[in-house]
Amino acid sequence: MDHHRHVAKEYAEHAAYYDQRWARYNRASCSGTLNAVAQCLSSTDTDTPLSLLDIACGTGLLLAQIHETQPAINLFGIDLSAHMLAKAQQRLGAQVDLQQGNAEQLPFPDRQFDLAVCNSAAQHFTSLGGFLNEAFRVLKPGGQLVLTVWASDRLIARLHYRWLRWRHPAIHRILKTSGYAELLNLNGFTLLDASQYSAGPLWTLTTLRARKPPQIA
C-alpha cells in the first residue's frame, strides 16, 4: 500500500471520533495557528476580500473558527480523506469551498490565495519540499503561509514521534523547528517568526509564519 493510501485509510477510521478524541490537542494546535493568522491579517493592508486556503483541512475545525472570527475572508479547504471532508461539509455547509486532493499537487491555479495554512498535517506528506513548493505556487506575491507542525526539538517529543511513526505507517517525517525553517527558506519563503509550545506532555508543536516575496518574476 502506498503512503497516500495509508493516510486515507487511517483518517477514514479516525473521522467519526477525531474531534472528540483529540479535543485537547486540537485546542492547542488551532489556537497557535489562529494566533499566527491574526498576525498575518494585522500586516495585510487591503480593501478587497482576502482568500485563505486550509491545506489538509480535516474535519474543518480550524476553518470554522476562522469563519467565526473573520467572516469576510473567502475560505477554501482541501484534504486527502473523503471521510474527513464529509465531516467538514457537515460543519461548514456552503460557506467554505471544499475539495478532495493531495497537498503535494494542489488543484488550484497560480497566485490564487492571500493566505495558506496547514495545521498538524505535514507529518503525513511524502515530500515536505513538494508541499511547500505548491503552497508557494498558489500564494499571491506577498502572501503568507502559517505552518503548524510536530517538532522534534525536545527529547521526549522526539521519542514519542519515533514511536508513533513505528505504530502508524501514515506518518512520514518529523523535523526540528530549525529544519522546517530551512525548508521554508529553500523553497523561496521568508521566515517571519516561529513559536514553539506544548499540546500536552508528549507533544511539542511549532507554528511558523512565512511570506512569499512580494516581487516574483
Side-chain angles (χ1 to χ4, degrees), residues 185-205:
N185 289 327
L186 286 173
N187 284 274
F189 286 97
T190 299
L191 181 66
L192 299 176
D193 51 57
S195 176
Q196 190 175 110
Y197 51 97
S198 172
L202 302 177
W203 302 92
T204 297
L205 303 181

Side-chain angles (χ1 to χ4, degrees), residues 151-165:
S152 60
D153 298 72
R154 291 194 307 145
L155 176 61
I156 191 168
R158 188 157 58 249
L159 294 174
H160 180 218
Y161 298 147
R162 188 176 299 171
W163 178 79
L164 287 174
R165 285 188 65 195

Side-chain angles (χ1 to χ4, degrees), residues 46-198:
T46 178
D47 294 328
T48 59
L50 299 176
S51 58
L52 179 148
L53 173 64
D54 186 351
I55 302 169
C57 65
T59 63
L61 182 63
L62 178 66
L63 283 168
Q65 293 179 55
I66 294 173
H67 179 72
E68 182 178 351
T69 57
Q70 302 290 338
I73 296 180
N74 296 316
L75 297 176
F76 297 77
I78 186 168
D79 199 274
L80 188 66
S81 168
H83 293 79
M84 298 289 273
L85 280 174
K87 290 290 184 181
Q89 191 69 63
Q90 292 174 9
R91 168 176 274 132
L92 299 165
Q95 63 198 16
V96 177
D97 184 333
L98 297 171
Q99 296 190 42
Q100 185 176 9
N102 184 344
E104 297 156 58
Q105 295 176 315
L106 295 173
F108 301 104
D110 297 356
R111 306 182 179 196
Q112 179 171 346
F113 301 103
D114 299 285
L115 298 171
V117 301
C118 182
N119 183 42
S120 296
Q123 69 272 10
H124 296 305
F125 301 158
T126 56
S127 172
L128 287 170
F131 149 67
L132 291 174
N133 184 64
E134 280 291 274
F136 188 93
R137 179 183 65 80
V138 301
L139 281 170
K140 298 175 183 177
Q144 295 187 53
L145 171 67
V146 174
L147 178 62
T148 293
V149 290
W150 295 2
S152 60
D153 298 72
R154 291 194 307 145
L155 176 61
I156 191 168
R158 188 157 58 249
L159 294 174
H160 180 218
Y161 298 147
R162 188 176 299 171
W163 178 79
L164 287 174
R165 285 188 65 195
W166 175 72
R167 287 284 307 274
H168 300 279
I171 298 172
H172 186 68
R173 189 181 184 194
I174 303 156
L175 305 176
K176 292 183 178 181
T177 299
S178 59
Y180 294 111
E182 181 179 357
L183 278 177
L184 284 164
N185 289 327
L186 286 173
N187 284 274
F189 286 97
T190 299
L191 181 66
L192 299 176
D193 51 57
S195 176
Q196 190 175 110
Y197 51 97
S198 172

Side-chain angles (χ1 to χ4, degrees), residues 5-15 17 124 168-171:
R5 289 178 63 193
H6 276 303
V7 176
K9 179 177 183 295
E10 183 164 313
Y11 279 89
E13 297 168 356
H14 288 347
Y17 58 83
H124 296 305
H168 300 279
I171 298 172

Side-chain angles (χ1 to χ4, degrees), residues 34-50:
L34 288 168
N35 287 340
V37 168
Q39 290 181 283
C40 293
L41 295 175
S42 69
S43 64
T44 302
D45 184 18
T46 178
D47 294 328
T48 59
L50 299 176

